[in-house]
Amino acid sequence: MEYEVVIGMETHVELDTNSKMFCACSARFFGAEPNVNVCPVCLGMPGALPVINKRAVEFAMMVGLALNCQIARHTFWERKSYWYPDLPKGYQISQYQRPLAYDGWLDVDVRDLSTGNWTEESTRRRIRIRRAHLEEDTGKLTHVGDKSYVDYNRSGVPLLEIVTEPDIRSADEAYAYLSALQQIVRYLGVSTGDMEKGAMRCEPNMSLRPKGSDAFGVKVEIKNLNSLRAVRDAIAYEIRRQTALLERGEAVQQVTLGWDESRGVTVVQREKESAHDYRYFPEPDLPPLEVDDAWLEDVRRRVPELALARQDRYRRDFGLSAYDAVQLTSDRAVAEWFEQVIAAASAADLRARAKAAANWIQTEVFRLMKANGIPNAEIAGIKPSPRQLAELINLVDEQVVNINTARQVFEEMFATGASPRAIVEAKGLAQVSDVDVLRRVVAEVIAAHPGQVQQYRNGQEKVFGFLVGQVMKATKGKGNAQVINQLLREALQP
Ligand code: ADP
Ligand code: MG
Ligand code: ZN
């Protein structure tokens, strides 16, 4: 029998606010000494009163809007009670009955990643978002030998939990969904989305069922996944394990699993337990949360055009390949920089401008950034401004410099920030297009290479490239390639 996997994803995203969800303590705990960002509120002292972090609410609304959700205009906070040493209050402030955002969807392009190679083809899938609600993070426990240590710096850091409907149908789709979600929180600037550092944590719920059936099978939940790769590998592993079980006629147990990265297997963390009674009840220390039109509109304006929409636009309006569109939208900063280059370049044809800008960014700009250890997301800080790159593109279009010289000029721009025109003038790099000058050089090259000239006349076309190279060399690389080609062809006519 053929089986189909059904996956619903629960993801926790730590919001990158300055302060915590309900107190003024710093929410930036990475690298801090343990238990320095704490106060009576986030330590759960009796009588301490929480205050809502408005910024965290706005960040959550932005994610909700980016996920095409409805935003609840009236919500409130609830206490989710359970006891654990990393939760000093004995309850977590959360939203249960009325999540801030609900009933949305995220479209993702799913590619076959099994070969490890890029494919232009993809399938667009819509994953429905059930809800996204705000809550607070717990402290962090570290177990060393027979001792356990707790650090409350993370206690009370704003957390957004995003839950999908069970719409994901493969490990590749789960990967595509999570990378799209990660890209969205980064585009919005609301979270680092860093899975390795725990700023984005996800728990796939998955089950198998006979292909064609619409009943749900017994689900397992997988935890401890700290990279996108681990998510994909763990799901693929579970599909194989559960398929083998079902084929032997055995039942899948409803359990919580952990992923053992080094062995590449899942391990049972918890057997099925009776449903938790969290004793949810309204948080008496916080007022309900009202979202009025003006506030919602204000937040809506802060949601930029997202990567997928940009990719579609780049392919449609600029004629870019899927690969180029994905590369140029991978970071919001890169996409914005790219669009600024296009806007400042002067070629009449939009597609030509876009193509040139795309080529420059994906080759020279990224190459030099990489060589200097600058991540793509920091493109706004590099030396040439988008306008300066556009000027350089214009100089190539106007045949003031040839493309090889332009690359040289760009290196100088990257190092010094000088304008391309100034560099061309200072270094005498302007292209030589003067026909008389080039004709003389062509004649000299022909005279100096009688053997190659004979070979060319005997039909060895590739010698032509050698001769072009010699003329280019004689002009110190500044010759106009088009003119040289033409003059050389003429001169070589027998
Ligand atoms: P629980 O109460 O166990 O947390 P929920 O109904 O809240 O379960 O669902 C949690 C996540 O699991 C959601 O993303 C949901 O889409 C998904 N899910 C629910 N049932 C199944 C199933 N049988 N197979 C796969 N995913 C499921
Ligand atoms: Mg759950
Ligand atoms: Zn605090």
Side-chain angles (χ1 to χ4, degrees), residues 79-83 87 90-92 277-281:
R79 291 187 179 182
K80 177 180 180 178
S81 313
Y82 64 99
W83 190 87
L87 187 70
Y91 61 87
Q92 182 188 31
D277 179 7
Y278 291 120
R279 293 177 288 123
Y280 280 104
F281 71 94

Side-chain angles (χ1 to χ4, degrees), residues 341-357 389-398:
V341 176
I342 296 174
S346 57
D349 179 21
L350 173 64
R351 290 187 165 214
R353 280 194 331 257
K355 192 69 200 151
L389 176 56
E391 271 172 47
L392 181 62
I393 291 172
N394 294 344
L395 292 181
V396 176
D397 282 349
E398 294 156 14

Side-chain angles (χ1 to χ4, degrees), residues 178 195-196 202 224-232 261:
L178 286 171
M195 288 186 71
E196 285 77 5
C202 63
N224 286 355
L225 298 164
N226 44 28
S227 70
L228 291 174
R229 214 209 145 79
V231 174
R232 188 150 52 93
E261 177 95 58

Side-chain angles (χ1 to χ4, degrees), residues 54 58 61 65 71 73 290-302:
K54 184 175 175 199
E58 291 179 344
M61 282 161 68
L65 291 168
I71 302 296
R73 300 311 199 84
E290 310 287 347
V291 178
D292 64 19
D293 289 351
W295 192 20
L296 184 56
E297 284 320 303
D298 182 47
V299 172
R300 199 187 295 279
R301 274 193 295 276
R302 285 183 250 166

Side-chain angles (χ1 to χ4, degrees), residues 291-324:
V291 178
D292 64 19
D293 289 351
W295 192 20
L296 184 56
E297 284 320 303
D298 182 47
V299 172
R300 199 187 295 279
R301 274 193 295 276
R302 285 183 250 166
V303 177
E305 185 185 21
L306 299 169
L308 196 73
R310 278 186 211 251
Q311 286 164 25
D312 289 347
R313 183 162 62 80
Y314 292 179
R315 294 176 69 180
R316 186 186 63 232
D317 295 354
F318 304 157
L320 294 189
S321 66
Y323 179 81
D324 289 348

Side-chain angles (χ1 to χ4, degrees), residues 10 205 219 221:
E10 290 176 277
N205 290 257
K219 75 172 165 118
E221 191 171 340

